[in-house]
Amino acid sequence: MKIGCPKEIKPQEFRVGMTPAAVTEAVGRGHGVLVESGAGLGAGFTDEDYAAAGASIAPDAKSVFDGAEMIVKVKEPQPAERAMLREGQVLFTYLHLAPDPDQTRDLLGSGVTAIAYETVTDARGGLPLLAPMSEVAGRLAPQVGSWALQKANGGRGVLLGGVPGVRPANVVIIGGGVVGTAAARVAVGMGANVTVTDRSVTRLSYLDDIFMGRLTTQYSSAAATADLIRTADMVIGAVLIPGAAAPKLVTRDQLSTMQPGSVLVDVAIDQGGCFETSRATTHQDPIYEVDGVVHYCVANMPGAVARTSTQALGNATLPFLLALADKGWRQAVLEDPHLRAGLSTHGGRLTSPPVGEALGLEAITPDQLLAG
């Protein structure tokens, strides 16, 4: 198979879909790899690194899209990229379709076979291609939140860990999954007073055990959230419903109950955000203020640490990438129900019911598509 890896064009996105190590693996199995010139520079990989691994270097994105049977990316294709997709081609990347009707419509119109990283599953019910970036974003959240708390950035002027004689910041983390656990680890390490909420008592028990009393756990409810955010210096939104739009857990009206200069960090922004006032921002212009509350809603947080993120993502995606290349998409998803869960569009049909429900579109399951 001819595999194409274009340069990411989303603002301030420095990750790349394939590392030179992944190229070596693919070429070693008889596949061709076409990498756009400069695609890896943001993550510290040069064209020479890719050429040494066996890739061909393409002068521009059009050459990659025209020449490849499978496109491997990081972020969802932007409008200019979607215009280059075609029927019979495979797209393997993060998609986050539920809050993005324009992208969904374009992918359906192109006829491309799109497989979403974020809905590929594993035997334990996890999301193995989302987990490494969730881990990165979770660890970044308290860091960027502490920056936003600085007075010069519109925050309350509170030091996350406090100092002797002055209390630390109150950090509330909504969601105790991969993102929430990673965020708690860093926030606790920075000395903050941390509360994690979740609707799974089992998960809360796990967090209580691993943190050995260094944080507070709280069963998640609308009333509990409303109470906690009133005294929070920072609230980190870390909720996920696989493939679907994130629920809105903090309303616009509730902002007036929060302390002026407090900070909301919405890690769920790729799925539409879990705060009613969230809107996607970029690393170049990451924050804005609503009713005196600072919002940090960067839609590609892991792009800030592009080399670490690229390597972590590449480790997770490589087995699936090779299966798609070795067997072709149809055989690969037939044999692997976990990869099949990532199938989102094919031949103009939507194969993700959660996306269909979110956008009001007709959808079938991947099993129905394959059976037909």
Side-chain angles (χ1 to χ4, degrees):
M1 182 178 283
K2 194 73 168 181
I3 305 167
C5 179
K7 183 177 181 179
E8 297 294 324
I9 61 173
K10 189 163 186 170
Q12 302 296 299
E13 180 52 72
F14 303 110
R15 291 172 290 179
V16 62
M18 293 182 73
T19 63
V23 171
T24 299
E25 293 282 342
V27 170
R29 295 166 85 123
H31 305 296
V33 181
L34 194 59
V35 177
E36 183 180 353
S37 180
L41 290 178
F45 302 118
T46 66
D47 289 353
E48 291 74 21
D49 293 331
Y50 284 106
S56 299
I57 306 301
D60 52 38
K62 187 176 187 305
S63 300
V64 174
F65 280 83
D66 287 349
E69 299 165 85
M70 177 166 63
I71 299 294
V72 179
K73 284 177 42 61
V74 178
K75 291 304 292 178
E76 70 279 358
Q78 303 302 292
E81 296 173 311
R82 301 199 293 264
M84 293 186 282
L85 293 168
R86 63 182 183 275
E87 190 164 2
Q89 197 170 48
V90 176
L91 173 66
F92 193 37
T93 188
Y94 287 117
L95 293 175
H96 301 292
L97 294 178
D100 195 343
D102 291 341
Q103 183 196 178
T104 304
R105 183 170 52 250
D106 288 349
L107 293 183
L108 293 173
S110 73
V112 72
T113 299
I115 300 173
Y117 290 165
E118 71 273 12
T119 55
V120 172
T121 59
D122 63 23
R124 300 184 303 277
L127 301 170
L129 306 190
L130 188 62
M133 296 304 93
S134 296
E135 183 84 29
V136 171
R139 292 187 181 213
L140 278 173
Q143 294 181 208
V144 298
S146 66
W147 172 83
L149 267 175
Q150 294 176 28
K151 195 65 179 177
N153 299 317
R156 297 192 69 219
V158 173
L159 181 65
L160 212 61
V163 293
V166 180
R167 72 163 184 86
N170 291 325
V171 175
V172 175
I173 300 171
I174 304 175
V178 175
V179 171
T181 302
R185 183 175 291 115
V186 171
V188 167
M190 294 174 76
N193 178 31
V194 179
T195 300
V196 179
T197 72
D198 201 276
R199 297 187 74 88
S200 167
V201 174
T202 301
R203 188 66 184 181
L204 294 176
S205 296
Y206 167 78
L207 292 171
D208 188 63
D209 284 344
I210 65 169
F211 284 98
M212 296 186 294
R214 290 179 295 159
L215 55 69
T216 301
T217 58
Q218 168 72 57
Y219 184 79
S220 184
S221 67
T225 299
D227 183 55
L228 286 168
I229 66 174
R230 280 197 288 268
T231 55
D233 297 293
M234 183 193 307
V235 180
I236 297 173
V239 296
L240 173 70
I241 300 174
K248 306 301 182 188
L249 300 179
V250 175
T251 68
R252 171 69 182 264
D253 290 343
Q254 287 175 318
L255 296 190
S256 64
T257 71
M258 298 180 67
Q259 301 177 101
S262 56
V263 171
L264 297 177
V265 180
D266 199 339
V267 187
I269 191 64
D270 275 326
Q271 293 295 122
C274 61
F275 308 132
E276 190 176 39
T277 46
S278 291
R279 57 176 173 80
T281 61
T282 67
H283 291 291
Q284 194 169 12
D285 188 16
I287 58 174
Y288 61 93
E289 185 181 308
V290 179
D291 295 346
V293 175
V294 180
H295 292 57
Y296 182 101
C297 304
V298 173
N300 59 330
M301 284 177 63
V305 286
R307 189 171 180 89
T308 297
S309 297
T310 293
Q311 291 172 322
L313 181 60
N315 292 341
T317 59
L318 182 60
F320 297 100
L321 185 160
L322 293 176
L324 289 165
D326 290 347
K327 303 171 184 178
W329 77 268
R330 183 176 289 273
Q331 190 62 33
V333 301
L334 275 170
E335 293 182 10
D336 186 350
H338 303 299
L339 183 58
R340 187 158 68 242
L343 187 61
S344 299
T345 72
H346 170 73
R349 304 194 74 178
L350 182 62
T351 56
S352 175
V355 173
E357 183 177 352
L359 298 180
L361 298 174
E362 182 181 352
I364 60 173
T365 67
D367 286 339
Q368 289 172 320
L369 174 75
L370 295 168

